[in-house]
Amino acid sequence: MAGQKKLLCALAGEKQDVPPIWMMRQAGRYLPEYRATRAEAGDFLSLCYNSDLAAEVTLQPIRRYGFDAAILFADILLIPQALGADLWFVTGEGPRLSTITTEADFAKLGPASDIHETLNPIYETVRILSRELPSETTLIGFAGAPWTVATYMIAGRGTPDQGPAHALREENTALFEALLARITEATIDYLSKQIEAGAEVVKIFDSWAGSLKGEAFQKYALEPCRQITAALKERHPGIPVIGFPREAGEKYVGFAKATGVDCVALDNSVDPEWAAANVQVDGCVQGNLASRHMVTGGQDLVDDTRRIVEAFKKGPHIFNLGHGITPDADPDNVQLMIDTVRGG
Ligand code: CP3
């Protein structure tokens, strides 16, 4: 596949001597240029909805490091907002939303078909990026998985154990499932519009998939991901999908086959050698360096990076972190990781 983008080759199943590389949250607070643009925008949400500035922060890590992929700058919580939930961010604490715990709360949400008026600036960001990115860089669009998005909509904030969402799932299954169905429908339309605007790959972030056990994982993590992937493949054949059922553990095995995703992103709680033998056998995998190395650096970073490259080198692999880079990371450690992947 000479002349093709490295990331798309990996997603098509090609094994490469040097894997393509990008990083979750690569546009973020560890970069001084991100902090400056965010200050110019005023706050995080204003940055998400300002197409020119959102495109600018997406491009910053590409200019600085030459990653093989750029991920659209936005947030998984824009869908709840587009459905009519209130959303704001408390500095130093994280997101806050109006809560959905009763039928009356749910009835206040709009239909999935109404989300685009709010989300049009995001599609415009994608259009700008597809014009401005270097020709070798792949543009990734994304959305949150229905379960993860629902955990925030139900609790109104991030929670350590997703307790309120599990409680609603058990106490009012019909309402919980209606909420998941609404988010699923909105997500399919949202990702379709990103693809129409120029996204070449989409990624589904299920950050809290690991808290769903047994049959609940099948019903509320695997099944919505399968539905979204099937609908996208029907509307946009040939657009690869990356699934990220974070902390799925043993349930990473067979996830790609069961959902139809082209690649499974792995968090760093799984052993790379185990994942090569049990998950990569079904196709491309992405991951999975611990993000703490971006804070601590040194020989440990180099050793773990080499171990991951080595473990996955017999099949298609996209190098990435196991979760997002944190604000206290040192930009020089990112360069060290890239040099290690590309230079051995
Ligand atoms: O990866 C990227 O660079 C693309 C942009 C992106 C952001 N959030 C920007 C962001 C993506 C893909 C996300 C996904 C996201 N958002 C997830 C799933 C992945 C994960 O991290 O588990 C979740 C759960 C969210 C919800 C969210 N957004 C939280 C809980 C927070 C607050 C926590 C924090 O890090 O402050 C955010 C804010 C957020 N989203 C920031 C960024 C760069 C930091 C905001 C800032 O600049 O102050």
Side-chain angles (χ1 to χ4, degrees):
M1 295 189 209
Q4 269 212 30
K5 301 185 182 193
K6 266 181 87 70
L7 194 103
L8 294 177
C9 290
L11 288 166
E14 192 182 306
K15 170 176 98 64
Q16 296 171 82
D17 292 336
V18 175
I21 178 168
W22 68 283
M23 203 172 61
M24 282 184 268
R25 293 271 174 103
Q26 62 192 21
R29 287 162 292 179
Y30 73 105
L31 288 179
E33 58 268 37
Y34 170 86
R35 295 195 297 269
T37 309
R38 185 182 182 279
E40 190 186 334
D43 58 47
F44 172 65
L45 280 176
S46 307
L47 178 55
C48 290
Y49 289 114
N50 182 322
S51 308
D52 290 320
L53 295 184
E56 166 58 23
V57 294
T58 309
L59 290 164
Q60 286 169 349
I62 307 305
R63 284 190 207 115
R64 190 190 261 256
Y65 298 115
F67 283 116
D68 294 291
I71 184 160
L72 162 70
F73 188 84
D75 197 81
I76 67 163
L77 299 178
L78 304 186
I79 286 235
Q81 188 171 42
L83 285 170
D86 294 329
L87 171 69
W88 66 104
F89 280 80
V90 179
T91 311
E93 289 186 35
R96 293 289 182 274
L97 301 90
S98 45
T99 58
I100 312 263
T101 55
T102 64
E103 276 81 4
D105 298 332
F106 181 68
K108 286 190 224 144
L109 295 180
S113 55
D114 280 5
I115 60 174
H116 304 301
E117 208 179 296
T118 303
L119 297 172
N120 270 328
I122 311 307
Y123 313 139
E124 178 58 18
T125 306
V126 176
R127 281 190 287 273
I128 296 171
L129 287 168
S130 80
R131 286 198 302 270
E132 295 199 357
L133 277 169
S135 60
E136 66 275 16
T137 316
T138 303
L139 178 54
I140 304 175
F142 75 93
W147 160 249
T148 288
V149 172
T151 65
Y152 290 93
M153 293 182 81
I154 294 164
R157 59 195 301 157
T159 46
D161 57 358
Q162 297 73 60
H166 286 293
L168 187 71
R169 167 169 88 71
E170 275 158 27
E171 286 154 22
N172 192 343
T173 308
L175 176 61
F176 172 79
E177 291 186 349
L179 177 61
L180 243 64
R182 182 73 54 86
I183 301 168
T184 302
E185 198 190 332
T187 302
I188 292 167
D189 279 0
Y190 180 48
L191 290 175
S192 279
K193 291 271 191 195
Q194 291 183 28
I195 293 166
E196 283 158 24
E200 300 169 282
V201 174
V202 294
K203 178 168 173 186
I204 303 168
F205 283 84
D206 209 350
S207 304
W208 301 118
S211 82
L212 290 166
K213 306 293 176 206
E215 197 200 341
F217 182 89
Q218 307 298 317
K219 276 172 90 170
Y220 304 126
L222 195 148
E223 181 55 22
C225 183
R226 190 198 65 72
Q227 282 173 20
I228 294 166
T229 305
L232 292 175
K233 297 269 175 196
E234 199 181 306
R235 292 190 201 177
H236 309 282
I239 294 291
V241 178
I242 303 174
F244 183 33
R246 193 169 74 87
E247 294 193 354
E250 296 276 328
K251 295 192 222 65
Y252 276 122
V253 180
F255 189 84
K257 274 196 174 154
T259 56
V261 299
D262 301 85
C263 174
V264 181
L266 304 162
D267 68 84
N268 51 276
S269 70
V270 297
D271 207 53
E273 292 80 15
W274 174 85
N278 294 286
V279 186
Q280 198 186 24
V281 285
D282 291 338
C284 189
V285 292
Q286 176 179 285
N288 68 341
L289 185 71
S291 8
R292 70 178 155 77
H293 286 301
M294 298 302 105
V295 181
T296 53
Q299 193 59 39
D300 272 0
L301 181 165
V302 173
D303 291 348
D304 266 17
T305 299
R306 286 194 180 135
R307 178 181 165 203
I308 289 164
V309 171
E310 187 64 27
F312 292 122
K313 78 173 184 200
K314 293 201 190 71
H317 176 218
I318 298 166
F319 193 93
N320 204 309
L321 302 177
H323 199 192
I325 187 168
T326 51
D328 54 345
D330 179 345
D332 290 345
N333 290 333
V334 176
Q335 191 62 56
L336 179 59
M337 168 184 73
I338 295 171
D339 292 345
T340 306
V341 171
R342 291 186 174 158

